[in-house]
Amino acid sequence: MPAPHRRAEMFGRQPLRERRFVTDALRTETVGGVLLLVSAVAAVVLANSDAAGWYESVKHHEIGPSTLGLHIDVADWAKDGLLTVFFFVAGIELKRELVTGELRDRRTAALPVVAALCGMAVPALVYLAVNVLAGGSPAGWAIPTATDIAFALTVLAVIGSSLPSALRAFLLTLAVADDLFAILIIAVFFTSDINLAALGLSVAGLVLFRLLHRAGVHGWYIYVPLALVIWTLMHESGVHPTVAGVAMGLMLRVTVDPGERESPAERIEHLVRPVSAGLAVPAFAFFAAGVSVGGKSLAGVFGNPEPLGVFLGLFLGKMAGILGGSWLTARFTRANLSEELQWADVAAVSMLSGIGFTVSLLISELAFEDDPALAVQTKAAVLTGSLAAALVACVLLKWRDHIYRELSVEENLDEDMSGIPDIYEQDDPEYHRRMIALYEAKLAEHRKWLETYPGGHDTDDTRHDE
């Protein structure tokens, strides 16, 4: 009789190596999220102050070589150029998840993938429903589909410091899957007329990039110029140039060979992630988030179907899609929610995923490129929808964080001071030997104390030996 299939545990405890990687990523993204917030606030303040004229002139100042078709304004350089670094890191994260992370196992991958798909489909349907009923434009359907990982992880790190690490990993994995589908949306639906010659040369450059990497060729002086050529050709081809960043990230090796302390992808990501989180994304936010937030603008968010669809998609659609997708996965597949968690935790993270900032602002510009006024309105909707989702998520996370505070202490306990949490060593014989030695040392210290202080010999040693 065949053995019954074991149900996969959703949000279970991560392997120690994966947990440490996620912790490092969270730390960098948290700092980047703070910088992102500062940049966004600065942009909004400037756009609504007497310095608005200066801000707009800097934003639309054109620089770059005309012969290569790159004489574009500063805002486009931030959107098409610097943001490619962000998508390069996203490509590395996706490759790592597919090879060594949560997405390598089809059973565990089903949850974040289904949750991400539902978390993008439902907001898009909400947007389309609002605009079909009110006679608005369907062009902005993709705006509320994206989650901003830097902002979301920053809120989670500040408010939910005691939440289980597996829940944080779920948010990171969900955001990686979300980024993948957002990239596909940009590549398929927001690509202009294709220049096949430039696209073919760009693909040839990617092939060369992959061959050099597989051959073990090292040197930034080789790969950086090659990456710039690939990006330029992709930009000229009509495909959004951020796709080049994702493609190069996916080509890096994420496995560790004998004799290596870390994979090439990890080493490069450690170098590039601070540039992405500390420069590329904040710079893009500074030039993209500068919209008017006066009473007239806010009234436009709720008075016009396009921005209203964006707001409702982020605030309601994201939570409904991710929570519903997770529940359906648990209901109709061999997956159980970890016994340590409740569906209220999933609901809190689902609401947090309604923070759609970086990619949502990018798609706003792409969707309404021919209608700048409507692009500004949808950007305002992205800001207000993300803020509303963040505030509600903060309340939910604070409530759940209080419940998990004691669990967090237990999960990080390292009583034998080995540098590895005890919970990961419970099945290790060496761990038990260390613990016995530790307790024997404590017992010997206690006996010495009894011999030193008056009256110590009067104490019943038998009880302490036990």
Side-chain angles (χ1 to χ4, degrees):
M1 180 176 179
H5 291 287
R6 184 180 178 184
R7 292 173 68 87
E9 185 181 69
M10 294 161 52
F11 308 131
R13 185 178 298 117
Q14 297 171 280
L16 183 60
R17 177 181 173 84
E18 182 72 9
R19 177 183 170 184
R20 286 175 170 170
F21 186 93
V22 170
T23 300
D24 291 341
L26 287 169
R27 188 179 298 112
T28 304
E29 291 292 355
T30 299
V31 175
V34 173
L35 295 175
L36 178 59
L37 178 60
V38 171
S39 298
V41 171
V44 172
V45 170
L46 287 173
N48 292 273
S49 69
D50 294 337
W54 172 84
Y55 173 77
E56 290 295 326
S57 65
V58 171
K59 182 177 176 179
H60 296 295
H61 178 69
E62 294 187 351
I63 55 174
S66 302
T67 53
L68 298 177
L70 295 176
H71 190 66
I72 55 180
D73 61 35
V74 174
D76 283 338
W77 274 111
K79 177 183 69 176
D80 296 343
L82 288 177
L83 213 55
T84 302
V85 180
F86 165 78
F87 281 103
F88 174 71
V89 174
I92 296 176
E93 290 175 342
L94 177 61
K95 179 69 172 289
R96 181 184 62 83
E97 290 293 335
L98 289 170
V99 176
T100 65
E102 296 291 328
L103 300 181
R104 73 185 185 282
D105 186 333
R106 286 183 299 175
R107 293 186 304 167
T108 56
L111 174 65
V113 170
V114 173
L117 282 171
C118 293
M120 301 183 82
V122 174
L125 292 174
V126 168
Y127 176 93
L128 290 172
V130 171
N131 282 270
V132 168
L133 292 174
S137 170
W141 64 271
I143 298 173
T145 60
T147 294
D148 191 284
I149 184 60
F151 261 154
L153 290 177
T154 300
V155 173
L156 187 62
V158 174
I159 302 298
S161 57
S162 298
L163 289 171
S165 58
L167 200 60
R168 299 161 182 258
F170 169 68
L171 177 60
L172 185 62
T173 307
L174 175 72
V176 170
D178 189 289
D179 283 343
L180 169 64
F181 297 128
I183 292 160
L184 292 175
I185 288 173
I186 291 171
V188 174
F189 295 99
F190 298 102
T191 293
S192 56
D193 295 335
I194 300 296
N195 183 330
L196 293 178
L199 181 60
L201 290 173
S202 181
V203 171
L206 289 170
V207 172
L208 178 60
F209 183 97
R210 174 61 175 168
L211 291 175
L212 290 172
H213 182 64
R214 290 193 64 179
V217 177
H218 300 287
W220 64 267
Y221 46 85
I222 295 175
Y223 290 100
V224 172
L226 179 58
L228 291 175
V229 171
I230 293 170
W231 178 88
T232 302
L233 290 168
M234 190 70 75
H235 183 276
E236 186 66 20
S237 73
V239 176
H240 200 274
T242 54
V243 174
V246 178
M248 286 184 280
L250 285 170
M251 290 180 177
L252 298 180
R253 176 167 58 83
V254 296
T255 54
V256 180
D257 284 347
E260 289 183 332
R261 296 184 59 185
E262 57 183 3
S263 68
E266 285 181 279
R267 186 170 60 253
I268 294 171
E269 184 177 4
H270 288 158
L271 295 173
V272 178
R273 184 183 285 275
V275 178
S276 170
L279 173 63
V281 176
F284 168 75
F286 180 76
F287 292 110
V291 298
S292 174
V293 292
K296 185 177 180 180
S297 298
L298 293 178
V301 170
F302 300 101
N304 295 320
E306 294 88 356
L308 179 61
V310 171
F311 176 87
L312 293 177
L314 289 172
F315 184 60
L316 298 178
K318 269 290 183 182
M319 180 180 183
I322 294 173
L323 181 59
S326 301
W327 183 86
L328 289 172
T329 304
R331 176 67 177 82
F332 295 106
T333 67
R334 297 182 178 276
N336 279 330
L337 189 67
S338 171
E339 293 181 357
E340 297 177 348
L341 302 177
Q342 302 292 329
W343 281 106
D345 305 317
V346 185
V349 171
S350 300
M351 176 57 74
L352 186 62
S353 300
I355 302 177
F357 192 82
T358 304
V359 179
S360 292
L361 291 176
L362 172 62
I363 297 177
S364 291
E365 294 189 355
L366 298 176
F368 297 110
E369 192 172 10
D370 297 330
D371 193 342
L374 196 52
V376 169
Q377 288 185 358
T378 54
K379 283 184 180 182
V382 169
L383 297 179
T384 53
S386 298
L387 179 61
L391 292 175
V392 175
C394 283
V395 175
L396 295 175
L397 288 170
K398 196 65 179 176
W399 166 50
R400 302 306 299 172
D401 185 71
H402 176 73
I403 294 175
Y404 284 108
R405 195 161 296 152
E406 292 184 2
L407 179 64
S408 177
V409 173
E410 178 183 345
E411 189 178 67
N412 291 282
L413 182 65
D414 184 17
E415 194 169 10
D416 63 342
M417 301 180 69
S418 65
I420 300 175
D422 296 340
I423 201 166
Y424 288 96
E425 299 182 298
Q426 290 176 353
D427 297 327
D428 182 9
E430 179 62 28
Y431 164 74
H432 292 289
R433 285 193 289 269
R434 286 200 305 269
M435 292 303 295
I436 290 172
L438 177 64
Y439 288 131
E440 287 179 346
K442 287 183 177 180
L443 181 59
E445 183 180 348
H446 184 69
R447 284 174 172 166
K448 185 177 181 180
W449 179 86
L450 292 174
E451 294 173 357
T452 302
Y453 288 91
H457 294 287
D458 297 332
T459 306
D460 183 5
D461 248 4
T462 305
R463 178 169 57 85
H464 294 287
D465 287 344
E466 292 174 353

Coordinates of all heavy atoms in Angstrom, one line a residue, residues 288-361:
A288 N 9.8 60.6 -9.5 CA 8.4 60.1 -9.9 C 7.3 60.5 -8.9 O 6.2 60.5 -9.3 CB 8.5 58.6 -10.0
A289 N 7.7 60.7 -7.6 CA 6.6 61.0 -6.6 C 6.3 62.4 -6.5 O 5.4 62.7 -5.6 CB 7.1 60.4 -5.3
G290 N 6.9 63.3 -7.2 CA 6.6 64.7 -7.1 C 5.3 65.1 -7.7 O 5.2 65.7 -8.8
V291 N 4.1 64.9 -7.0 CA 2.8 65.2 -7.6 C 2.1 66.1 -6.6 O 2.4 66.1 -5.4 CB 2.0 63.9 -7.8 CG1 2.6 63.1 -8.8 CG2 1.8 63.2 -6.5
S292 N 1.1 66.9 -7.1 CA 0.4 67.8 -6.2 C -0.6 67.0 -5.3 O -1.2 66.0 -5.8 CB -0.5 68.7 -7.1 OG -1.3 69.5 -6.3
V293 N -0.6 67.3 -4.1 CA -1.5 66.6 -3.1 C -2.4 67.6 -2.4 O -2.9 67.3 -1.3 CB -0.6 65.9 -2.0 CG1 0.2 64.7 -2.6 CG2 0.3 66.8 -1.3
G294 N -2.8 68.6 -3.1 CA -3.7 69.6 -2.6 C -5.1 69.0 -2.6 O -5.4 67.9 -3.1
G295 N -6.1 69.8 -2.1 CA -7.5 69.3 -2.0 C -8.0 69.0 -3.4 O -8.8 68.0 -3.5
K296 N -7.7 69.7 -4.4 CA -8.2 69.4 -5.7 C -7.6 68.1 -6.2 O -8.4 67.3 -6.9 CB -7.7 70.5 -6.7 CG -8.3 70.4 -8.1 CD -7.9 71.6 -9.0 CE -8.5 71.5 -10.4 NZ -8.1 72.6 -11.2
S297 N -6.3 67.8 -6.0 CA -5.7 66.5 -6.4 C -6.4 65.3 -5.7 O -6.7 64.3 -6.3 CB -4.2 66.6 -6.2 OG -3.6 67.6 -6.9
L298 N -6.5 65.5 -4.4 CA -7.1 64.4 -3.6 C -8.6 64.2 -4.0 O -9.1 63.0 -4.1 CB -7.1 64.7 -2.1 CG -5.6 64.7 -1.5 CD1 -5.7 65.1 -0.1 CD2 -5.0 63.4 -1.7
A299 N -9.3 65.3 -4.3 CA -10.7 65.1 -4.8 C -10.7 64.4 -6.2 O -11.6 63.6 -6.4 CB -11.3 66.5 -5.0
G300 N -9.6 64.6 -7.0 CA -9.5 63.9 -8.3 C -9.3 62.4 -8.1 O -9.8 61.6 -8.9
V301 N -8.6 62.0 -7.0 CA -8.4 60.6 -6.8 C -9.7 59.9 -6.6 O -9.9 58.7 -7.1 CB -7.5 60.4 -5.5 CG1 -7.4 58.9 -5.1 CG2 -6.1 60.9 -5.8
F302 N -10.6 60.5 -5.9 CA -11.9 59.8 -5.6 C -13.0 60.2 -6.5 O -14.1 59.7 -6.4 CB -12.3 60.1 -4.1 CG -11.3 59.6 -3.1 CD1 -10.4 60.4 -2.5 CD2 -11.2 58.2 -2.8 CE1 -9.5 60.0 -1.6 CE2 -10.3 57.7 -1.9 CZ -9.4 58.6 -1.3
G303 N -12.7 61.2 -7.4 CA -13.8 61.7 -8.3 C -13.7 61.2 -9.7 O -14.6 61.3 -10.5
N304 N -12.5 60.6 -10.1 CA -12.3 60.1 -11.4 C -12.1 58.6 -11.4 O -11.4 58.1 -10.5 CB -11.1 60.8 -12.1 CG -11.3 62.3 -12.2 OD1 -12.4 62.7 -12.6 ND2 -10.3 63.1 -12.0
P305 N -12.6 57.9 -12.3 CA -12.6 56.4 -12.3 C -11.1 55.8 -12.3 O -10.9 54.8 -11.6 CB -13.4 56.0 -13.5 CG -13.4 57.1 -14.4 CD -13.3 58.3 -13.5
E306 N -10.2 56.4 -13.1 CA -8.9 55.8 -13.2 C -8.2 55.8 -11.9 O -7.7 54.8 -11.4 CB -8.1 56.5 -14.3 CG -8.6 56.3 -15.7 CD -9.7 57.4 -16.1 OE1 -10.1 58.2 -15.2 OE2 -10.2 57.4 -17.2
P307 N -8.0 57.0 -11.2 CA -7.3 57.0 -9.9 C -8.1 56.3 -8.9 O -7.5 55.6 -8.0 CB -7.1 58.5 -9.6 CG -8.1 59.2 -10.4 CD -8.3 58.4 -11.7
L308 N -9.4 56.3 -8.9 CA -10.2 55.6 -7.9 C -10.0 54.1 -8.1 O -9.8 53.3 -7.1 CB -11.7 55.9 -8.1 CG -12.6 55.2 -7.1 CD1 -12.3 55.5 -5.7 CD2 -14.1 55.5 -7.5
G309 N -9.9 53.6 -9.3 CA -9.6 52.2 -9.5 C -8.2 51.8 -9.0 O -8.1 50.7 -8.4
V310 N -7.2 52.7 -9.1 CA -5.9 52.4 -8.6 C -5.9 52.3 -7.1 O -5.4 51.4 -6.5 CB -4.9 53.5 -9.1 CG1 -3.6 53.4 -8.3 CG2 -4.7 53.4 -10.6
F311 N -6.6 53.3 -6.5 CA -6.7 53.4 -5.0 C -7.4 52.1 -4.4 O -6.8 51.4 -3.5 CB -7.5 54.6 -4.6 CG -7.7 54.7 -3.1 CD1 -6.7 55.2 -2.2 CD2 -8.8 54.1 -2.5 CE1 -6.9 55.3 -0.9 CE2 -9.0 54.2 -1.1 CZ -8.1 54.8 -0.3
L312 N -8.5 51.7 -5.0 CA -9.2 50.6 -4.5 C -8.5 49.3 -4.8 O -8.5 48.3 -4.0 CB -10.6 50.5 -5.1 CG -11.6 51.6 -4.7 CD1 -12.9 51.5 -5.4 CD2 -11.8 51.6 -3.2
G313 N -7.8 49.2 -5.9 CA -7.0 48.0 -6.3 C -5.9 47.8 -5.3 O -5.7 46.6 -4.9
L314 N -5.2 48.9 -4.9 CA -4.1 48.7 -3.9 C -4.7 48.4 -2.5 O -4.2 47.5 -1.8 CB -3.3 50.0 -3.9 CG -2.4 50.2 -5.1 CD1 -1.7 51.6 -5.0 CD2 -1.3 49.1 -5.2
F315 N -5.7 49.2 -2.1 CA -6.1 49.1 -0.7 C -7.0 47.9 -0.4 O -6.9 47.3 0.6 CB -6.9 50.4 -0.4 CG -7.4 50.5 1.1 CD1 -6.5 50.5 2.1 CD2 -8.7 50.5 1.4 CE1 -6.9 50.5 3.4 CE2 -9.1 50.6 2.7 CZ -8.2 50.6 3.7
L316 N -7.8 47.5 -1.4 CA -8.7 46.3 -1.2 C -8.3 45.1 -2.0 O -8.3 44.0 -1.5 CB -10.2 46.7 -1.5 CG -10.8 47.8 -0.6 CD1 -12.2 48.1 -1.1 CD2 -10.8 47.5 0.8
G317 N -8.0 45.4 -3.3 CA -7.7 44.3 -4.2 C -6.5 43.4 -3.8 O -6.5 42.2 -3.9
K318 N -5.4 44.1 -3.4 CA -4.2 43.4 -3.0 C -4.5 42.4 -1.8 O -4.1 41.3 -1.9 CB -3.1 44.4 -2.6 CG -2.2 44.8 -3.8 CD -1.3 43.6 -4.2 CE -0.4 44.0 -5.3 NZ 0.4 42.9 -5.8
M319 N -5.1 42.9 -0.8 CA -5.4 42.1 0.4 C -6.3 40.9 0.0 O -6.0 39.8 0.4 CB -6.0 42.9 1.5 CG -6.3 42.1 2.8 SD -7.0 43.0 4.1 CE -7.1 41.8 5.4
A320 N -7.4 41.2 -0.7 CA -8.3 40.2 -1.1 C -7.7 39.1 -1.9 O -7.9 37.9 -1.8 CB -9.5 40.8 -1.8
G321 N -6.8 39.6 -2.9 CA -6.2 38.6 -3.8 C -5.2 37.7 -3.1 O -5.2 36.5 -3.3
I322 N -4.3 38.3 -2.3 CA -3.2 37.5 -1.7 C -3.8 36.6 -0.6 O -3.5 35.4 -0.5 CB -2.1 38.4 -1.1 CG1 -1.4 39.1 -2.3 CG2 -1.1 37.6 -0.3 CD1 -0.4 40.2 -1.8
L323 N -4.7 37.1 0.2 CA -5.3 36.3 1.3 C -6.1 35.2 0.6 O -6.1 34.0 1.1 CB -6.1 37.2 2.2 CG -6.8 36.5 3.4 CD1 -5.8 35.8 4.3 CD2 -7.6 37.5 4.2
G324 N -6.9 35.6 -0.4 CA -7.8 34.6 -1.0 C -6.9 33.5 -1.7 O -7.2 32.3 -1.7
G325 N -5.9 33.9 -2.4 CA -5.0 33.0 -3.1 C -4.3 32.0 -2.2 O -4.2 30.8 -2.4
S326 N -3.9 32.5 -1.0 CA -3.2 31.7 0.0 C -4.2 30.7 0.6 O -3.9 29.5 0.7 CB -2.7 32.5 1.1 OG -1.7 33.5 0.6
W327 N -5.5 31.1 0.8 CA -6.5 30.2 1.4 C -6.8 29.1 0.4 O -7.0 28.0 0.7 CB -7.7 31.0 1.8 CG -8.8 30.1 2.4 CD1 -8.8 29.8 3.8 CD2 -9.9 29.5 1.8 NE1 -9.9 29.0 4.0 CE2 -10.6 28.7 2.8 CE3 -10.3 29.4 0.5 CZ2 -11.7 28.0 2.5 CZ3 -11.4 28.7 0.2 CH2 -12.1 28.0 1.2
L328 N -7.0 29.5 -0.9 CA -7.3 28.5 -1.9 C -6.2 27.5 -2.1 O -6.5 26.3 -2.3 CB -7.6 29.2 -3.2 CG -8.9 30.1 -3.4 CD1 -8.9 30.9 -4.6 CD2 -10.1 29.2 -3.3
T329 N -5.0 28.0 -2.0 CA -3.8 27.0 -2.1 C -3.9 26.0 -0.9 O -3.7 24.8 -1.1 CB -2.5 27.8 -2.0 OG1 -2.5 28.8 -3.1 CG2 -1.3 26.9 -2.2
A330 N -4.2 26.5 0.3 CA -4.3 25.6 1.4 C -5.5 24.7 1.3 O -5.4 23.5 1.8 CB -4.3 26.4 2.7
R331 N -6.5 25.2 0.7 CA -7.8 24.4 0.7 C -7.7 23.3 -0.4 O -8.2 22.2 -0.2 CB -8.9 25.4 0.3 CG -10.3 24.7 0.1 CD -10.8 24.1 1.4 NE -12.1 23.5 1.3 CZ -12.4 22.3 0.8 NH1 -11.3 21.5 0.4 NH2 -13.6 21.8 0.6
F332 N -7.1 23.6 -1.5 CA -7.1 22.6 -2.6 C -5.8 22.0 -3.0 O -5.7 21.3 -4.0 CB -7.7 23.3 -3.9 CG -9.1 23.8 -3.7 CD1 -9.4 25.1 -3.5 CD2 -10.2 22.9 -3.7 CE1 -10.7 25.6 -3.3 CE2 -11.5 23.3 -3.5 CZ -11.8 24.6 -3.3
T333 N -4.8 22.2 -2.2 CA -3.5 21.5 -2.4 C -3.1 20.9 -1.1 O -3.7 21.0 -0.1 CB -2.4 22.5 -2.9 OG1 -2.1 23.4 -1.8 CG2 -2.8 23.3 -4.1
R334 N -2.0 20.1 -1.2 CA -1.4 19.4 0.0 C -0.5 20.4 0.7 O 0.7 20.2 0.8 CB -0.7 18.2 -0.4 CG -1.5 17.1 -1.1 CD -0.7 15.9 -1.4 NE -1.6 14.9 -2.0 CZ -2.3 14.0 -1.4 NH1 -2.3 14.0 0.0 NH2 -3.0 13.1 -2.0
A335 N -1.1 21.4 1.3 CA -0.4 22.4 2.1 C -1.2 22.8 3.3 O -2.4 23.0 3.2 CB -0.1 23.6 1.2
N336 N -0.5 22.9 4.4 CA -1.1 23.3 5.7 C -0.4 24.6 6.2 O 0.8 24.7 6.0 CB -0.9 22.2 6.7 CG -2.0 21.1 6.6 OD1 -3.1 21.4 6.1 ND2 -1.6 19.9 7.0
L337 N -1.1 25.4 6.8 CA -0.5 26.6 7.5 C 0.2 26.1 8.7 O -0.2 25.2 9.4 CB -1.6 27.6 7.9 CG -1.2 28.9 8.5 CD1 -0.5 29.7 7.3 CD2 -2.3 29.7 9.0
S338 N 1.4 26.6 8.9 CA 2.2 26.2 10.1 C 1.4 26.4 11.4 O 0.6 27.3 11.5 CB 3.5 27.1 10.2 OG 4.1 26.9 11.4
E339 N 1.6 25.4 12.3 CA 0.8 25.5 13.6 C 1.2 26.7 14.4 O 0.4 27.1 15.3 CB 1.1 24.2 14.4 CG 0.6 22.9 13.7 CD 0.9 21.7 14.6 OE1 1.6 21.9 15.6 OE2 0.5 20.6 14.2
E340 N 2.3 27.3 14.1 CA 2.7 28.5 14.9 C 2.0 29.8 14.4 O 2.1 30.8 15.1 CB 4.2 28.7 14.7 CG 5.1 27.6 15.3 CD 6.5 27.8 15.1 OE1 6.9 28.7 14.3 OE2 7.3 27.1 15.7
L341 N 1.3 29.7 13.3 CA 0.8 30.9 12.7 C -0.8 30.8 12.6 O -1.3 29.7 12.7 CB 1.3 31.2 11.3 CG 2.9 31.3 11.2 CD1 3.3 31.5 9.7 CD2 3.3 32.5 12.0
Q342 N -1.4 32.0 12.4 CA -2.8 32.1 12.2 C -3.1 32.8 10.8 O -2.2 33.5 10.3 CB -3.5 32.8 13.3 CG -3.2 32.2 14.7 CD -3.9 30.9 14.9 OE1 -4.9 30.7 14.3 NE2 -3.3 30.0 15.7
W343 N -4.3 32.6 10.3 CA -4.6 33.3 9.1 C -4.7 34.8 9.3 O -4.5 35.6 8.3 CB -6.0 32.8 8.6 CG -5.9 31.5 7.9 CD1 -6.2 30.3 8.4 CD2 -5.3 31.2 6.6 NE1 -5.9 29.3 7.5 CE2 -5.3 29.8 6.4 CE3 -4.7 32.0 5.7 CZ2 -4.8 29.2 5.2 CZ3 -4.2 31.4 4.5 CH2 -4.3 30.1 4.3
A344 N -4.8 35.3 10.5 CA -4.7 36.7 10.8 C -3.3 37.3 10.4 O -3.2 38.4 9.9 CB -5.0 37.0 12.2
D345 N -2.3 36.5 10.5 CA -0.9 36.9 10.1 C -0.8 37.1 8.6 O -0.3 38.0 8.1 CB 0.1 35.8 10.6 CG 0.0 35.5 12.0 OD1 -0.1 36.5 12.8 OD2 0.1 34.4 12.4
V346 N -1.4 36.1 7.9 CA -1.5 36.2 6.4 C -2.2 37.4 6.0 O -1.9 38.1 5.0 CB -2.1 34.9 5.8 CG1 -2.0 35.0 4.3 CG2 -1.4 33.7 6.3
A347 N -3.3 37.7 6.7 CA -4.1 38.9 6.4 C -3.3 40.2 6.6 O -3.4 41.1 5.7 CB -5.4 38.9 7.2
A348 N -2.5 40.3 7.6 CA -1.7 41.4 7.9 C -0.7 41.7 6.8 O -0.5 42.8 6.3 CB -1.1 41.3 9.3
V349 N 0.0 40.6 6.4 CA 1.0 40.7 5.3 C 0.3 41.0 4.0 O 0.9 41.7 3.2 CB 1.8 39.4 5.3 CG1 2.7 39.4 4.0 CG2 2.7 39.2 6.5
S350 N -0.9 40.5 3.8 CA -1.6 40.7 2.6 C -1.9 42.2 2.4 O -1.8 42.8 1.4 CB -2.9 39.9 2.5 OG -2.6 38.5 2.5
M351 N -2.4 42.8 3.6 CA -2.7 44.2 3.6 C -1.4 45.0 3.3 O -1.4 46.0 2.6 CB -3.3 44.6 4.9 CG -3.6 46.1 5.0 SD -4.6 46.8 3.7 CE -6.2 46.2 4.2
L352 N -0.3 44.6 3.9 CA 1.0 45.3 3.7 C 1.4 45.3 2.3 O 2.1 46.2 1.8 CB 2.1 44.6 4.6 CG 3.4 45.2 4.7 CD1 3.4 46.6 5.3 CD2 4.4 44.4 5.5
S353 N 1.0 44.2 1.5 CA 1.4 44.1 0.1 C 0.7 45.2 -0.7 O 1.0 45.3 -1.9 CB 1.1 42.7 -0.4 OG 1.8 41.7 0.3
G354 N -0.3 45.8 -0.1 CA -1.0 46.9 -0.9 C -0.1 48.2 -1.0 O -0.6 49.1 -1.7
I355 N 1.1 48.2 -0.5 CA 2.0 49.3 -0.7 C 2.6 49.1 -2.0 O 3.6 48.4 -2.2 CB 3.1 49.3 0.4 CG1 2.4 49.5 1.8 CG2 4.0 50.5 0.2 CD1 3.4 49.4 2.9
G356 N 2.1 49.7 -3.0 CA 2.6 49.6 -4.4 C 3.2 51.0 -4.8 O 2.5 52.0 -5.0
F357 N 4.5 51.1 -4.8 CA 5.1 52.4 -5.0 C 6.0 52.4 -6.2 O 5.6 52.9 -7.3 CB 5.9 52.8 -3.7 CG 6.3 54.2 -3.7 CD1 5.4 55.2 -3.3 CD2 7.6 54.6 -4.1 CE1 5.8 56.6 -3.3 CE2 8.0 56.0 -4.1 CZ 7.1 56.9 -3.7
T358 N 7.2 51.9 -6.1 CA 8.2 52.0 -7.2 C 7.6 51.6 -8.6 O 7.6 52.4 -9.5 CB 9.4 51.2 -6.9 OG1 9.9 51.7 -5.6 CG2 10.5 51.5 -7.9
V359 N 7.2 50.3 -8.7 CA 6.8 49.8 -10.0 C 5.4 50.4 -10.4 O 5.2 50.6 -11.5 CB 6.7 48.2 -9.9 CG1 6.2 47.7 -11.3 CG2 8.1 47.7 -9.6
S360 N 4.6 50.6 -9.4 CA 3.3 51.3 -9.7 C 3.4 52.7 -10.3 O 2.7 53.0 -11.2 CB 2.4 51.3 -8.4 OG 2.0 50.0 -8.0
L361 N 4.4 53.4 -9.7 CA 4.7 54.8 -10.3 C 5.2 54.6 -11.7 O 4.9 55.4 -12.6 CB 5.6 55.5 -9.4 CG 5.1 55.9 -8.0 CD1 6.2 56.6 -7.2 CD2 3.9 56.9 -8.2

